[in-house]
Amino acid sequence: MSDPIVIAIDGPSASGKSTNSKIIAAELGFVYVDTGAMYRTLAWHALQSGTNVEDAAAVEKLCRDWPAELVRRGDSVWLEVDGYFPEEEIRSSEVSAVVSHVAQVPFVRDWMKERQRSCVQFGSLVMEGRDITSNIFPDTPHKFYLDASAQVRQARRDADGVEENLAARDQRDSTRKAAPLKKVDGATVINNSGEAPEETSARIIALVRGS
Ligand code: CDP
């Protein structure tokens, strides 16, 4: 069997990563991995357990001890906590407000990196997040950075019905020490303001097939 292919997609909040990654994975028959959902699941777990998310040592301890494991459900991979995937809960305003605190803890990033890299056990991947092109799979030739104007991204999030100021989270994600969001050399930057997801996905698929 040939080696798994990894399509790595990074970008700021509401830049179209999830929508496009799902379309691309379905079209190519690859497994879809939403790494943001993994950080959100830990943030949800922290809120559930009353952990202070701004206390890095407490978050590290929580991460060391939590009963979470990677599970493939259909064509996607998630983290389940005690056999439960909090699919709806992780999209709440409460989780969105704290997730970037949890995500800046170095131990958490190492923990996630190990699991995310191990996802190739499930086959070829479309993996989206903030550090997939820079840190998780920097050697893949299929690297993409999605972007859209701040106005378009905020409008998309408002349309989701989730109250959130994206700018604060984006700022934390781009300026943290551990694996910040950035555009790496070799990544194709696609600004998709004013473009339908099908068009963006078709561009990415064409580039992957052509390379
Ligand atoms: O849905 P949205 O694009 O707003 O965010 P997400 O992909 O669900 O990611 C939620 C948060 O998890 C981000 O704001 C980051 O703080 C963190 N994250 C990260 O640090 N590294 C990743 N690879 C993915 C997400």
Side-chain angles (χ1 to χ4, degrees), residues 6-187:
V6 176
I7 302 176
I9 302 183
D10 286 328
S13 313
S15 57
K17 301 185 303 292
S18 301
T19 309
N20 284 290
S21 297
K22 284 179 198 163
I23 295 173
I24 297 161
E27 177 81 20
L28 298 178
F30 287 12
V31 174
Y32 165 60
V33 189
D34 175 358
T35 61
M38 296 183 186
Y39 288 95
R40 287 173 176 274
T41 301
L42 179 61
W44 168 81
H45 183 58
L47 293 177
Q48 289 285 107
S49 62
T51 303
N52 175 0
V53 294
E54 295 190 36
D55 177 346
V59 171
E60 174 172 336
K61 175 156 189 346
L62 185 80
C63 186
R64 274 185 201 282
D65 296 345
W66 73 325
E69 59 175 337
L70 284 178
V71 175
R72 177 174 176 171
R73 283 146 116 260
D75 293 327
S76 311
V77 176
W78 308 104
L79 278 179
E80 287 192 356
V81 186
D82 262 340
Y84 177 63
F85 174 51
E87 190 166 5
E88 306 264 309
E89 298 92 319
I90 61 171
R91 305 291 162 194
S92 69
S93 303
E94 290 77 12
V95 167
S96 297
V98 302
V99 60
S100 58
H101 291 287
V102 165
Q104 66 191 357
V105 176
F107 180 87
V108 169
R109 299 217 70 87
D110 290 344
W111 190 98
M112 293 287 178
K113 183 172 183 173
E114 199 181 317
R115 269 85 193 164
Q116 290 163 10
R117 286 187 61 84
S118 80
C119 284
V120 289
Q121 71 187 283
F122 301 111
S124 291
L125 308 173
V126 180
M127 181 176 282
E128 55 135 323
R130 300 291 187 290
D131 65 339
I132 314 308
T133 58
S134 60
N135 182 42
I136 307 299
F137 288 110
D139 295 333
T140 179
H142 311 296
K143 293 198 263 289
F144 297 91
Y145 185 98
L146 293 195
D147 210 349
S149 71
Q151 219 179 358
V152 165
R153 295 189 294 101
Q154 186 65 55
R156 287 176 183 165
R157 190 46 42 98
D158 294 346
D160 288 344
V162 178
E163 236 174 82
E164 194 194 358
N165 176 351
L166 294 186
R169 183 149 62 90
D170 287 335
Q171 168 77 1
R172 269 201 293 275
D173 289 341
S174 306
T175 55
R176 67 180 176 222
K177 279 209 185 86
L181 170 66
K182 61 180 175 192
K183 290 175 191 161
V184 296
D185 287 347

